Amino acid sequence: MGHLISIIVPCYNEEASLPYFYDAITAESDKMSGEYGVEFEYLFVNDGSKDKTLEILKDYAQKDTRVKYISFSRNFGKESAIYAGLQASRGDFTAMMDADLQDPPALLEEMYEAVTKEGFDCAASRRTTRKGEPPIRSFFARCFYRLINKISKTEVVDGARDFRLMSRQMVNAILSMTEYNRFSKGIFGWVGFKTKWLEYENTERVAGETKWSFWKLLLYSLDGIMAFSTAPLALSSFTGLLFCIVAFVMILIIIVKTLILGDPVAGYPSLVCIIFLVSGVQLFCIGILGQYLSKTYLEAKNRPIYIIKESNTEE
Ligand code: UDP
Ligand code: MG
């Protein structure tokens, strides 16, 4: 008997694109089953959709035994959906892909070859272009990748999609990372293993709309930085040190000046500016500290990463 491949598909309000996705993935699966004798299971994770996504999934599950669905009690976010899918997956290999066909299913064959024949633990995809994306968004994305790779020891690959196929060993490694603040791109890099990168050009989603606003992406990138780097904390201590040195030099200058020139009263405006500057920097640094504290607070609560309302998987 051939390998079992689990395909995890996080779905949030995807009623418009699901039919296209289902057609495409079943066509690809049938092709691969014929070619390699592999079997498939699809793990659709309904992340608290407000449209007909769940009904569509249930409908598929009735006609097709490969279809498994897990439905959350509310919207927990894509990261939680991925984690739930990984926990439920039983495959020798597990892939994850978006429901909007931005991840071309045809790449699965190449990925499967990479992990079975070429000795890789994982085959992942990255897009080489950001066609169809607002230029300002691309610009900030590039800055983010450059920054996080400078300040974090974990490699985060620019343009990497979550679309990838992984060995059971790597899936288990990811499952062992039970943190609440999940940043997949960092987690994949952190666990290591040999990854083959497949490149393709960006395609636009087949239907529906992207769930990411610019603001959401910005917050997400900050989460990513905090999850995989403590550089901002180091930055705030460094700024503190720098300001101490500057203050010390200024004190010396003032003492010397007073001794030589006497003590003329002056400099009120500059004093006000300095107070504003210094207290601004202080608040900024406390803010950074607070961000880390709040993350620690959430981790310490040890809340579940997701809550299932209904599903047709065994556990
Ligand atoms: N998604 C999800 N929960 C969310 C937001 C998105 O499960 O809270 C899913 C969504 O249904 C899709 C995938 O994550 O399958 C990627 O979302 P989207 O296409 O909006 O992101 P983009 O491709 O624009 O980065
Ligand atoms: Mg998409």
Side-chain angles (χ1 to χ4, degrees):
M1 207 183 78
H3 290 129
L4 174 68
I5 300 181
S6 306
I7 296 182
I8 298 169
V9 192
C11 308
Y12 177 53
N13 296 343
E14 295 288 4
E15 63 177 7
S17 40
L18 265 178
Y20 298 99
F21 178 80
Y22 180 74
D23 288 347
I25 197 67
T26 43
E28 179 63 26
S29 306
D30 293 342
K31 185 161 166 243
M32 282 181 72
S33 294
E35 211 166 312
Y36 305 100
V38 289
E39 286 181 48
F40 283 86
E41 69 170 356
Y42 313 127
L43 289 157
F44 290 96
V45 185
N46 172 33
D47 184 13
S49 300
K50 293 181 182 72
D51 62 3
K52 297 226 157 51
T53 300
L54 182 60
E55 281 83 345
I56 295 173
L57 292 179
K58 282 183 171 168
D59 188 41
Y60 290 154
Q62 246 166 23
K63 315 186 289 217
D64 186 343
T65 52
R66 291 172 296 186
V67 175
K68 307 267 160 58
Y69 64 87
I70 298 169
S71 185
F72 287 175
S73 60
R74 65 168 169 86
N75 179 249
F76 278 86
K78 186 182 175 187
E79 298 287 349
S80 302
I82 288 177
Y83 191 70
L86 287 173
Q87 280 197 316
S89 82
R90 297 174 300 119
D92 303 296
F93 297 98
T94 299
M96 52 186 87
M97 51 202 304
D98 290 357
D100 56 9
L101 284 182
Q102 276 188 306
D103 304 327
L107 273 184
L108 277 172
E109 279 167 63
E110 221 177 309
M111 290 183 166
Y112 183 69
E113 299 247 328
V115 289
T116 50
K117 300 205 177 113
E118 296 164 32
F120 289 95
D121 302 293
C122 170
S125 64
R126 62 184 287 261
R127 48 182 182 174
T128 47
T129 58
R130 290 182 169 272
K131 198 179 65 188
E133 202 184 58
I136 178 102
R137 197 160 141 175
S138 306
F139 170 75
F140 276 103
R142 291 231 167 75
C143 291
F144 165 71
Y145 284 109
R146 216 170 299 151
L147 178 70
I148 195 162
N149 280 313
K150 275 233 170 73
I151 64 178
S152 167
K153 287 199 192 91
T154 306
E155 200 197 359
V156 182
V157 178
D158 188 1
R161 305 267 318 162
D162 286 339
F163 179 31
R164 50 173 61 225
L165 181 78
M166 298 176 289
S167 67
R168 178 55 22 201
Q169 202 185 14
M170 185 164 173
V171 170
N172 288 341
I174 291 170
L175 285 173
S176 72
M177 295 180 77
T178 54
E179 61 215 70
Y180 183 78
N181 297 293
R182 303 191 72 77
F183 181 67
S184 278
K185 287 181 170 55
I187 291 176
F188 295 144
W190 194 90
V191 294
F193 295 102
K194 247 173 89 183
T195 301
K196 178 173 183 179
W197 290 98
L198 307 175
E199 300 192 339
Y200 70 99
E201 292 208 349
N202 193 27
T203 37
E204 285 180 50
R205 62 163 40 242
V206 58
E209 270 167 30
T210 175
K211 315 292 179 300
W212 293 94
S213 63
F214 183 76
W215 182 243
K216 264 185 160 173
L217 273 176
L218 187 73
L219 292 180
Y220 182 61
S221 63
L222 290 179
D223 278 350
I225 288 174
M226 277 186 283
F228 283 91
S229 167
T230 50
L233 287 174
L235 180 76
S236 46
S237 3
F238 178 76
T239 321
L241 188 70
L242 192 74
F243 270 66
C244 286
I245 295 172
V246 172
F248 189 70
V249 172
M250 286 197 322
I251 290 169
L252 280 182
I253 292 173
I254 286 169
I255 290 177
V256 172
K257 234 172 113 183
T258 318
L259 286 178
I260 297 171
L261 300 176
D263 186 16
V265 179
Y268 173 74
S270 59
L271 199 63
V272 172
C273 294
I274 291 169
I275 290 177
F276 263 79
L277 175 70
V278 174
S279 48
V281 170
Q282 274 178 351
L283 284 178
F284 180 69
C285 292
I286 295 176
I288 291 178
L289 202 65
Q291 289 297 323
Y292 280 90
L293 183 68
S294 71
K295 298 283 168 204
T296 317
Y297 176 59
L298 283 175
E299 293 291 348
K301 284 191 182 192
N302 211 357
R303 285 179 180 162
I305 294 167
Y306 58 87
I307 290 170
I308 295 177
K309 189 172 172 220
E310 55 179 304
S311 82
N312 70 343
T313 57
E314 284 84 64
E315 303 107 312

